[in-house]
Amino acid sequence: MVTICEMSDSDDDDVLQLSSHTLAALQEFYAEQKQHPDPSGDDKYNIGVIEENWQLSQFWYSQETALRLAKEAIAAAGEGGRVACVSTPSVYQKLRELRGELVSVCLFEFDRRFAVYGEDFIFYDYSHPLDLPGDVAAHSFDVVIADPPYLSADCLQKTAETVRYLTRGKILLCTGAVMEEEAARLLGVTPCSFLPTHRRVLANEFRCYANYDSGLGHDV
């Protein structure tokens, strides 16, 4: 533990100055606090309250995109419906802001920082697509919205296996444009005219897909 500090030589200056080591330790502490938000805070559902972890390939949607996708999920599920957010925490956060008692929502997510959301959080590792809690029944969600964390055929294939298990029929998928043919083969989805955006600019073209007549428009 670093306890070094420096006192001013001035007799009338009682300000305590931190050493560089102590300052670095404080900065590290505050950075850790940002990674572990207070679950009782008023802003706990704000997008970005949990920082992106690029090592986990996390890139949060823009507010506009999260809102549009959340509203579509609510419309697709219907009143009293169930929505599964698979690796889409920013959509989950926006749903929690909007939903009231309209729908129930579960977040299937690898990052355990999102466990601050209590029973809504279900740990999920796409590499084990059906390794889910026993109380998660097959075909128990009216709509599933998924965003595979990596742009690879393997990641999409395994995420698709989870999606097919969870959904009663309706699927929303957000992934790179390069995955269009594979997404169609695995999930029967087609591109929407709505183009999702992120808080940070991504190098890859990103698209939204659906397997039903959604309010996100049809690509022509």
Side-chain angles (χ1 to χ4, degrees):
M1 178 182 296
V2 178
T3 57
I4 301 172
C5 62
E6 299 172 352
M7 295 296 295
S8 170
D9 292 333
S10 172
D11 292 338
D12 59 357
D13 185 358
D14 295 328
V15 177
L16 183 66
Q17 298 180 7
L18 298 178
S19 71
S20 60
H21 296 290
T22 304
L23 183 59
L26 278 173
Q27 290 172 335
E28 182 179 356
F29 170 77
Y30 287 127
E32 289 179 353
Q33 289 297 101
K34 285 186 177 181
Q35 296 293 316
H36 300 278
D38 179 3
S40 63
D42 292 338
D43 64 347
K44 68 176 180 177
Y45 295 121
N46 286 354
I47 297 173
V49 70
I50 297 178
E51 297 287 338
E52 295 166 334
N53 182 340
W54 292 356
Q55 292 182 328
L56 296 178
S57 190
Q58 290 177 340
F59 302 96
W60 302 155
Y61 297 133
S62 65
Q63 291 283 349
E64 296 78 12
T65 290
L67 178 61
R68 184 75 182 273
L69 294 174
K71 286 183 174 180
E72 175 57 33
I74 291 173
E79 186 172 352
R82 302 189 73 209
V83 179
C85 294
V86 179
S87 304
T88 53
S90 50
V91 176
Y92 164 81
Q93 290 167 325
K94 190 59 66 175
L95 279 164
R96 286 284 278 159
E97 284 185 358
L98 295 175
R99 73 181 192 182
E101 300 302 321
L102 291 178
V103 297
S104 62
V105 189
C106 288
L107 173 62
F108 294 79
E109 172 59 46
F110 181 81
D111 188 346
R112 293 187 187 274
R113 291 178 299 165
F114 289 94
V116 297
Y117 296 132
E119 293 182 355
D120 285 355
F121 173 82
I122 297 172
F123 177 75
Y124 169 69
D125 181 350
Y126 82 86
S127 62
H128 302 285
L130 298 183
D131 187 7
L132 302 170
D135 58 351
V136 177
H139 314 306
S140 56
F141 290 88
D142 296 284
V143 60
V144 177
I145 178 165
D147 184 343
Y150 300 101
L151 284 180
S152 71
D154 178 69
C155 184
L156 179 56
Q157 289 166 7
K158 290 176 178 175
T159 301
E161 189 175 353
T162 306
V163 171
R164 290 193 301 266
Y165 176 83
L166 294 174
T167 188
R168 289 175 180 154
K170 294 179 181 178
I171 298 169
L172 287 172
L173 176 72
C174 292
T175 189
V178 297
M179 308 305 294
E180 179 177 339
E181 291 186 5
E182 189 72 357
R185 183 181 70 83
L186 292 168
L187 295 171
V189 294
T190 56
C192 302
S193 57
F194 169 70
L195 298 177
T197 59
H198 295 76
R199 296 175 69 208
R200 304 176 191 272
V201 177
L202 301 186
N204 299 298
E205 183 183 357
F206 211 74
R207 297 300 303 265
C208 182
Y209 306 85
N211 72 337
Y212 65 97
D213 187 15
S214 75
L216 301 176
H218 296 286
D219 196 14
V220 295

